[in-house]
Amino acid sequence: DQQVKQNSPSLSVQEGRISILNCDYTNSMFDYFLWYKKYPAEGPTFLISISSIKDKNEDGRFTVFLNKSAKHLSLHIVPSQPGDSAVYFCAASVWGGSEKLVFGKGTKLTVNP
Amino acid sequence: DAGITQSPRHKVTETGTPVTLRCHQTENHRYMYWYRQDPGHGLRLIHYSYGVKDTDKGEVSDGYSVSRSKTEDFLLTLESATSSQTSVYFCAISAGGDGYTFGSGTRLTVV
């Protein structure tokens, strides 16, 4: 029973274009969402987050959008760069709960020069 | 990132032997977690700790045990390693409410 779903295992885009990574969740109690980026042979690193009181959060080239009614969030990367090539994990939790993050399976992004 | 370290980084062990992985933090964070990463499965929670001697199971805890006798150390033990436990293991820490910091991982191979 997957509570956080990333239905695209991989995505390939051209350098300079927009990358859109999608994530769906089923648990309506989730109110805090995060994206992590992972390079090979390294641990995941925090990228950006959003709480359920917002519908958008921006940090430089990275923007996360949250649609609570659809239980859907997306990560936009504009413009995409070859260094963005990595696996991206979506994660969700209940704020102030046990602090456990539930992760999706990840999407491997490849940005082609 | 010196705030969290995992040891060993790589280990090869034989089926049936016990194995202990160590996670050490210098951040004095309350929460510590062990995840495993496998192709097609993403990151799955094995066990977590919300304080010294306070631990709980995650979604894939069978065959694993943990201990936390000090704030800074969280040990993951495979009582009797099996080939299905070949994986990359990540430790993570959290102060609560702001996401995790992950270690660099331990690649475990059970032959």
Side-chain angles (χ1 to χ4, degrees):
Chain A
D1 179 21
Q2 243 189 304
Q3 298 187 71
V4 178
K5 300 177 184 178
Q6 294 178 257
N7 292 320
S8 298
S10 63
L11 175 67
S12 183
V13 300
Q14 284 301 119
E15 181 178 5
R17 307 294 286 267
I18 184 171
S19 296
I20 300 176
L21 293 88
N22 294 303
C23 178
D24 297 294
Y25 61 96
T26 57
N27 188 342
S28 58
M29 297 296 292
F30 287 147
D31 55 6
Y32 188 54
F33 305 90
L34 308 91
W35 286 93
Y36 282 81
K37 176 179 179 179
K38 186 185 178 306
Y39 292 118
E42 296 182 10
T45 55
F46 171 75
L47 188 58
I48 192 169
S49 64
I50 187 167
S51 78
S52 59
I53 62 173
K54 295 185 174 183
D55 54 18
K56 177 183 173 181
N57 189 27
E58 254 180 291
D59 184 0
R61 297 186 296 113
F62 302 90
T63 303
V64 56
F65 296 91
L66 176 62
N67 181 334
K68 291 185 288 294
S69 61
K71 294 192 179 70
H72 176 83
L73 61 154
S74 61
L75 174 68
H76 293 213
I77 306 173
V78 184
S80 301
Q81 298 173 354
D84 296 328
S85 297
V87 176
Y88 290 79
F89 290 101
C90 173
S93 74
V94 177
W95 182 274
S98 62
E99 315 301 329
K100 289 186 296 182
L101 288 180
V102 179
F103 286 85
K105 293 184 178 182
T107 297
K108 183 177 182 180
L109 173 66
T110 302
V111 181
N112 301 301
Chain B
D1 188 13
I4 176 171
T5 55
Q6 291 184 232
S7 59
R9 289 298 310 274
H10 302 272
K11 185 168 183 67
V12 180
T13 192
E14 292 186 351
T15 299
T17 60
V19 177
T20 295
L21 308 183
R22 181 182 184 234
C23 179
H24 178 77
Q25 63 149 328
T26 57
E27 306 296 323
N28 201 36
H29 283 347
R30 175 182 178 188
Y31 300 96
M32 299 185 76
Y33 310 84
W34 277 106
Y35 282 84
R36 60 179 288 176
Q37 186 196 8
D38 303 289
H41 291 279
L43 291 161
R44 292 181 293 173
L45 181 64
I46 305 171
H47 281 280
Y48 66 102
S49 170
Y50 41 96
V52 173
K53 292 187 168 43
D54 289 324
T55 65
D56 208 345
K57 295 179 179 180
E59 62 179 301
V60 290
S61 60
D62 287 349
Y64 301 95
S65 62
V66 290
S67 66
R68 191 170 178 198
S69 58
K70 298 184 290 185
T71 299
E72 57 266 35
D73 290 323
F74 193 33
L75 304 180
L76 176 71
T77 297
L78 289 65
E79 305 290 348
S80 176
T82 68
S83 58
S84 65
Q85 293 176 311
T86 292
S87 186
V88 181
Y89 291 85
F90 288 101
C91 177
I93 60 175
S94 171
D98 206 24
Y100 297 174
T101 299
F102 281 88
S104 299
T106 294
R107 183 173 293 275
L108 177 68
T109 302
V110 183
V111 298

